[in-house]
Amino acid sequence: MKQRDDWHLTDALDYEHGRGDPFAAAVRATRMPMVITDPAQADNPIVFCNVAFQTLTGYDREEIVGRNCRFLQGPETDMAAVAKVREAIEGGHDVDVDLLNYRKDGSTFWNALYMSPVKDMDGTIRFFFASQLDVTDRIEAQTVIANQKQLVEREVERRTADLRAALDAKTLLLHEVDHRVKNNLTMIGSLLRLQVRTIDDPAIASKLDSMLERVDALAVVHRQLYQSSDLEKFDMGSFARSLVSDVVGSSGRTDIALDTDACSLFVDAANASALGLILNEILTNAVKHGFADGRPGKLSLTVRNGNGSGMIRICDDGPGMPSARRTKSIGTSLITRLARQAQAEATWSDNRPGTCVTITFPNNEKQ
C-alpha cells in the first residue's frame, strides 16, 4: 500500500504508536484528547491514546490501552447517551454526544465525544477515531440557566395563580355587588308601583311613572352587567336593541314601526348606567311626544362603532319639539347632565318631520 493511503489505517499504531506516520504523530502531539479503538479485537479496545487524553482522565497510557472506553463511565453517566455510542459503533457511523465521565481520582467531567469510523479502500471499518473535549463549564452553565429558568417559570406560575385568584375574587365580589344593586332597584321599582296605585292626581302619577321607568332602565343595565363575564366593559349596542323593543312594547303601542340597525358597541362599565338612562330618556320621550294622541309612526335606532368613539342615534317622524320648549324640559336637563358624567355629547336635530337625538361617546378599545 502506498504511503499516501496508509494514514487512515494507522497500521503502525500497534507497534510504533504513531512514530514515522505524520498523521499519527499529529494525533499524538495535539492538545485535544484523542483515542483510537480497534473493532477487530474483542470488546473494541483502545489501541492508541495521546498525552492530552491521559492528562484529561488522569490515567497513564498503560492503564488505558487495551481497555474499552466504558471504563470512564460511572453511576451518574446517562445510559441513553451511552446507547447512542453503542448504536453508532454497531451501525458503523459517526456520533456526537455529551457524556458524564469519571477521572481516575473519581472526579467527574463532561466529555463532548465525537467518534467516527476509519475505513479502508474496501469500506471495511479498521478503526474508530474518537476526540474528547472537556465541556464541564458549558454544561454547568446550561444547568444553572435551566434551573434558573425553572425557578422563574415556577414563580411566574405562582404569581399568575395568585393574580388569577385575586381577579376571580374581585369578579365574584363585583358580581355580588351588581346583584344586590339590581335587587335593590327592583325593590324600589316595586315600591314606586305601589305608590302610583294610591295616587289620584294624574300629574303626580305621571311623574312617578317617569321615575319608575328610569329605575327600570337602571335595573336592566345592572342585570346585563351581572350576566356578563367581563365586568370592565358593557355592550351598549346589545342593550340599546333590547331597550327600544322593551320601551315600545311596554307602551302597548302596536302602531309604532321599529327600524333597528345596531352593532355591538362596548363602553366602559363605569359609564353604562349613565348611558343607559340617557337612552331610556330619549326613547320614552319619543314614544310620549313623537307619537302622542295615538299617532302612528316610525322609530329608528342606529348604533355605530367608529375609530375610538361610538354613536347612537334615535329618530322619530313625529311633529318635533321646538328648541325653546325642549331646553326647559326635565328630560333634556337630565340627558345633558348624564352625558357630561359619561363623557358623552347629546345633540338634537330636525328630522323633517320629527326629531333625531345623537349621542357620541368614547368606546372601550378592548373589544
Side-chain angles (χ1 to χ4, degrees):
M1 182 175 293
K2 297 179 181 179
Q3 177 65 29
R4 65 175 184 271
D5 296 328
D6 66 357
W7 61 270
H8 63 286
L9 301 181
T10 58
D11 293 337
L13 287 177
D14 288 334
Y15 309 101
E16 300 295 334
H17 303 293
R19 294 184 180 90
D21 186 334
F23 171 74
V27 170
R28 187 164 59 90
T30 183
R31 288 182 294 179
M32 174 175 284
M34 295 183 179
V35 298
I36 296 176
T37 68
D38 185 358
Q41 299 185 40
D43 205 22
N44 190 25
I46 297 172
V47 294
F48 172 82
C49 67
N50 64 1
V51 175
F53 182 82
Q54 299 171 44
T55 302
L56 173 64
T57 62
Y59 290 94
D60 294 332
R61 188 180 65 83
E62 291 76 12
E63 298 174 293
I64 298 172
V65 173
R67 303 177 69 179
N68 185 281
C69 293
R70 76 173 66 90
F71 78 95
L72 295 175
Q73 300 171 18
E76 298 298 324
T77 302
D78 184 4
M79 290 297 104
V82 173
K84 291 182 180 180
V85 177
R86 185 183 307 113
E87 291 171 1
I89 294 173
E90 294 174 354
H93 58 79
D94 58 2
V95 65
D96 184 0
V97 66
D98 290 339
L99 286 172
L100 181 66
N101 283 164
Y102 289 74
R103 298 185 179 89
K104 183 177 180 178
D105 62 7
S107 62
T108 60
F109 68 96
W110 279 97
N111 179 10
L113 171 68
Y114 174 75
M115 185 190 70
S116 64
V118 179
K119 302 178 180 180
D120 62 17
M121 297 298 293
D122 297 327
T124 302
I125 297 175
R126 298 294 303 276
F127 299 98
F128 279 99
F129 171 82
S131 65
Q132 292 81 23
L133 184 64
D134 187 350
V135 292
T136 302
D137 291 343
R138 171 173 65 81
I139 298 297
E140 289 180 348
Q142 291 175 344
T143 302
V144 170
I145 292 173
N147 291 339
Q148 290 177 341
K149 181 182 178 182
Q150 289 181 353
L151 290 174
V152 170
E153 289 176 347
R154 283 198 293 266
E155 182 64 16
V156 169
E157 290 177 358
R158 184 187 68 80
R159 294 191 180 188
T160 300
D162 290 343
L163 289 173
R164 188 177 294 110
L167 180 60
D168 289 343
K170 176 184 176 182
T171 301
L172 181 63
L173 177 61
L174 289 175
H175 273 309
E176 180 63 23
V177 170
D178 276 332
H179 184 57
R180 293 188 181 187
V181 170
K182 177 181 70 69
N183 288 342
N184 289 337
L185 290 172
T186 301
M187 182 181 297
I188 293 172
S190 299
L191 292 174
L192 286 174
R193 287 184 175 87
L194 290 174
Q195 189 68 46
V196 169
R197 294 172 185 172
T198 63
I199 295 176
D200 297 327
D201 189 330
I204 296 177
S206 176
K207 293 182 182 300
L208 285 177
D209 279 334
S210 296
M211 185 62 65
L212 179 58
E213 290 169 352
R214 292 161 184 154
V215 171
D216 286 342
L218 278 176
V220 173
V221 171
H222 278 277
R223 181 172 66 247
Q224 189 163 330
L225 277 174
Y226 174 68
Q227 294 172 347
S228 174
S229 59
D230 188 348
L231 296 179
E232 293 184 357
K233 59 184 182 180
F234 183 84
D235 188 352
M236 189 56 63
S238 173
F239 172 77
R241 287 194 299 269
S242 299
L243 184 63
V244 68
S245 297
D246 291 344
V247 169
V248 175
S250 63
S251 70
R253 299 288 298 271
T254 59
D255 53 356
I256 299 176
L258 287 179
D259 181 11
T260 303
D261 181 12
C263 65
S264 292
L265 176 58
F266 292 91
V267 300
D268 289 333
N271 296 327
S273 296
L275 291 172
L277 281 175
I278 290 174
L279 291 181
N280 180 75
E281 201 69 26
I282 296 172
L283 288 169
T284 53
N285 285 340
V287 172
K288 290 179 181 178
H289 304 296
F291 309 104
D293 302 326
R295 176 188 175 279
K298 179 179 178 181
L299 182 63
S300 65
L301 167 70
T302 304
V303 180
R304 287 286 179 268
N305 183 12
N307 185 17
S309 64
M311 183 276 292
I312 299 178
R313 179 179 290 117
I314 299 170
C315 298
D316 65 72
D317 60 355
M321 181 183 293
S323 60
R325 178 183 169 192
R326 185 174 62 241
T327 54
K328 294 180 180 179
S329 70
I330 295 177
T332 303
S333 176
L334 179 62
I335 291 172
T336 302
R337 293 185 180 183
L338 290 172
R340 192 179 305 120
Q341 175 183 330
Q343 301 178 0
E345 182 180 3
T347 56
W348 282 260
S349 60
D350 191 351
N351 195 31
R352 300 181 186 274
T355 304
C356 279
V357 185
T358 303
I359 309 296
T360 55
F361 47 86
N363 65 2
N364 190 310
E365 296 181 357
K366 298 182 292 183
Q367 297 188 40

